[in-house]
């Protein structure tokens, strides 16, 4: 059994349902300490975080990820216990195999090999791990980033181990993510009996033309890496439940998934301008859950793409699709952030799994990336 498979199985055996770590970070710390990593536990609320660093010089290459996993769903519908790692037909089954304990194990074994072969390597290697990524993500990576910012610590390169690949290991790198900006819009009217329309103001009718314009608006055209910004309504609530009452308000929940071609401030201003143009009386509460970030082609993308090509023969593609990740926080202290991990076909599903062969291949890709950035480019 390979070192990467063995470590992945150890981690899967821990019931680290978000926001619990259940000892995963201790297992990882025990592997990093003999490699001269300084280990710094950062606990916030119920969340355990680990910042580990080897070296003091630049460039700083960080591997980032999370030990927490989503709930299993009905355990009886799994082919094996989700926290009993099981190898069957070349696949490793268990909750967190792909998202993302396999990546974390590959981080560790790649670093172990690299340090053994290049004990006096230039630069620094770091790991940023949390148990609060699958949950509300308020006491995890964002807290570690804040602590590093406060003492002026910056990263040069970061690889987040999120499962990014679609059909074959290495076929997709995430080199950015769209931002997520949500709004709760309450349009006001006058409630009354539906049979006396001259005595009421129906907020649903009043809001409809503005909704139509918002839905038809081109917010931006995207760019080389991002599709155009999308505006979507997720919920509309209005009415008292009675069929003969015009409601006094209607509440509309909407969300932008936006590219770096737009700013948060610009999107907010456009929405307010459209609502004001239609003469609506309204309240609007905004919530930003993630800023967009982008890493263009450069040192990190080239180093990872070269490693993927060498290990798998695949010409990788760059993508910014999907939801948010902790990369959005790390981008505040790191100019180049990408995501690379195993296939994402089974993440969050019953019988989550990863190909055993992909674990060693992923470790090799991470190892060669370290070589490319710290040895070949020194």
């Amino acid at each position: 059994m390979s070192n990467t498979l063995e470590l992945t199985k150890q981690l899967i055996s821990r019931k680290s349902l978000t926001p619990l770590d259940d000892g995963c970070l201790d297992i990882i710390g025990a592997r990093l300490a003999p490699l001269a990593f300084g280990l710094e536990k950062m606990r916030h609320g119920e969340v355990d975080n680990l910042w580990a660093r080897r070296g003091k010089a630049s460039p700083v290459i960080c591997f980032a990820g999370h030990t927490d996993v989503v709930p299993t769903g009905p355990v009886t519908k799994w082919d094996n216990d989700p926290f009993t790692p099981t190898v069957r037909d070349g696949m490793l089954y268990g909750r967190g195999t792909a998202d993302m304990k396999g990546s974390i194990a590959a981080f560790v074994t790649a670093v172990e090999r690299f340090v053994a072969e290049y004990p006096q390597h230039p630069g620094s290697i770091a790991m940023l791990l949390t148990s609060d990524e699958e949950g509300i993500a308020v006491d995890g990576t964002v807290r570690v980033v804040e602590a590093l910012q406060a003492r002026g610590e910056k990263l040069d390169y970061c690889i987040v181990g999120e499962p990014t690949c679609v059909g074959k290991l290495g076929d997709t790198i995430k080199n950015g993510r769209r931002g997520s900006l949500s709004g709760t819009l309450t349009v006001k009217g006058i409630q009354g009996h539906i049979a006396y329309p001259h005595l009421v103001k129906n907020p649903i009718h009043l809001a409809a033309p503005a909704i139509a314009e918002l839905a038809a608006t081109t917010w931006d055209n995207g760019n080389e890496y991002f599709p155009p910004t999308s505006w979507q309504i997720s919920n509309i609530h209005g009415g008292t439940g009675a069929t003969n009452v015009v409601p006094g308000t209607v509440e509309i929940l909407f969300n932008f998934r936006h590219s770096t071609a737009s700013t948060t401030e610009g999107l907010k201003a456009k929405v307010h301008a459209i609502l004001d143009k239609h003469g609506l009386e309204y309240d609007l509460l905004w919530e930003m859950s993630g800023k967009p970030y982008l890493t263009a082609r450069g040192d990190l993308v080239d180093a990872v793409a070269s490693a993927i090509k060498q290990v798998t023969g695949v010409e990788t593609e760059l993508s910014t699709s999907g939801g948010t990740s902790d990369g959005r926080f790390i981008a505040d202290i790191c100019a180049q952030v990408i995501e690379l991990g195993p296939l994402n076909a089974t993440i969050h599903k019953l019988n989550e799994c990863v190909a055993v062969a992909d674990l060693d291949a992923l470790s090799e890709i991470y190892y060669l990336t370290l070589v490319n950035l710290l040895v070949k480019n020194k």
Side-chain angles (χ1 to χ4, degrees):
M1 182 163 55
S2 76
N3 288 334
T4 308
L5 174 59
E6 182 180 6
L7 180 54
T8 304
K9 292 176 75 172
Q10 289 181 40
L11 296 174
I12 292 168
S13 298
R14 300 296 178 131
K15 296 182 179 180
S16 55
L17 292 168
T18 189
L20 300 179
D21 168 71
D22 197 31
C24 290
L25 294 179
D26 290 334
I27 293 173
I28 297 161
R31 300 284 288 258
L32 297 179
L35 305 179
F37 274 81
L39 306 180
E40 187 175 354
K41 284 281 192 76
M42 298 184 186
R43 184 171 175 86
H44 294 274
E46 297 181 336
V47 176
D48 290 303
N49 305 295
L50 175 65
W51 169 247
R53 178 166 173 170
R54 183 183 198 272
K56 298 181 179 180
S58 295
V60 183
I61 302 174
C62 178
F63 293 101
H66 60 90
T67 60
D68 59 322
V69 298
V70 297
T72 62
V75 174
T76 56
K77 292 189 176 182
W78 283 69
D79 293 339
N80 54 271
D81 182 272
F83 295 106
T84 301
T86 303
V87 176
R88 186 172 61 254
D89 298 326
M91 304 296 293
L92 173 64
Y93 291 85
R95 177 56 88 218
T97 50
D99 191 13
M100 55 174 287
K101 292 180 177 180
S103 296
I104 292 175
F107 288 165
V108 173
T109 56
V111 169
E112 286 175 333
R113 178 182 171 190
F114 181 81
V115 171
E117 295 185 10
Y118 302 98
Q120 303 301 320
H121 66 82
S124 302
I125 304 172
M127 283 196 196
L128 194 170
L129 303 174
T130 183
S131 64
D132 183 34
E133 196 274 345
E134 296 290 8
I136 57 176
V138 297
D139 286 322
T141 298
V142 64
R143 297 294 190 191
V144 180
V145 168
E146 288 172 352
L148 297 178
Q149 277 182 316
R151 60 198 193 202
E153 243 179 297
K154 292 186 177 181
L155 312 177
D156 295 283
Y157 310 109
C158 182
I159 300 171
V160 184
E162 290 291 346
T164 58
C165 300
V166 179
K168 185 177 180 180
L169 181 68
D171 63 10
T172 306
I173 292 172
K174 301 284 188 182
N175 67 318
R177 296 276 187 159
R178 293 175 295 174
S180 179
L181 175 65
S182 297
T184 301
L185 171 64
T186 302
V187 177
K188 302 175 183 179
I190 297 177
Q191 180 178 316
H193 199 294
I194 206 164
Y196 298 92
H198 59 291
L199 298 178
V200 302
K201 288 176 64 176
N202 192 318
I204 300 174
H205 295 180
L206 295 172
I211 291 173
E213 183 170 349
L214 289 165
T217 296
T218 298
W219 304 94
D220 59 49
N221 295 313
N223 54 36
E224 178 186 358
Y225 300 102
F226 286 100
T229 290
S230 167
W231 181 86
Q232 296 290 330
I233 290 176
S234 59
N235 286 275
I236 296 180
H237 303 282
T240 63
T243 60
N244 61 350
V245 179
V246 170
T249 62
V250 60
E251 183 182 76
I252 301 163
L253 308 183
F254 64 83
N255 177 266
F256 281 105
R257 291 302 167 104
H258 68 98
S259 70
T260 53
S262 289
T263 65
T264 300
E265 294 74 17
L267 293 174
K268 289 180 179 180
K270 287 183 181 179
V271 170
H272 282 286
I274 291 172
L275 297 176
D276 293 341
K277 184 178 78 172
H278 288 275
L280 299 180
E281 184 181 357
Y282 66 91
D283 292 323
L284 179 51
L285 300 176
W286 293 98
E287 179 183 2
M288 184 184 69
S289 57
K291 297 182 294 184
Y293 76 89
L294 175 66
T295 297
R297 290 174 177 84
D299 293 344
L300 181 57
V301 169
D302 291 347
V304 175
S306 173
I308 290 171
K309 177 70 172 178
Q310 187 171 340
V311 175
T312 68
V314 171
E315 295 284 355
T316 194
E317 294 185 2
L318 302 182
S319 171
T320 59
S321 64
T324 58
S325 78
D326 276 0
R328 69 192 190 273
F329 304 127
I330 298 168
D332 285 342
I333 58 170
C334 185
Q336 298 186 50
V337 180
I338 64 100
E339 301 170 29
L340 172 66
L343 273 65
N344 58 23
T346 64
I347 60 174
H348 294 204
K349 292 183 178 181
L350 300 174
N351 295 318
E352 180 182 350
C353 59
V354 66
V356 171
D358 284 353
L359 292 173
D360 283 330
L362 187 59
S363 178
E364 178 78 2
I365 291 169
Y366 293 151
Y367 162 78
L368 289 175
T369 300
L370 287 169
V371 173
N372 289 340
L373 290 172
L374 292 182
V375 179
K376 291 184 178 181
N377 289 346
K378 67 177 181 178

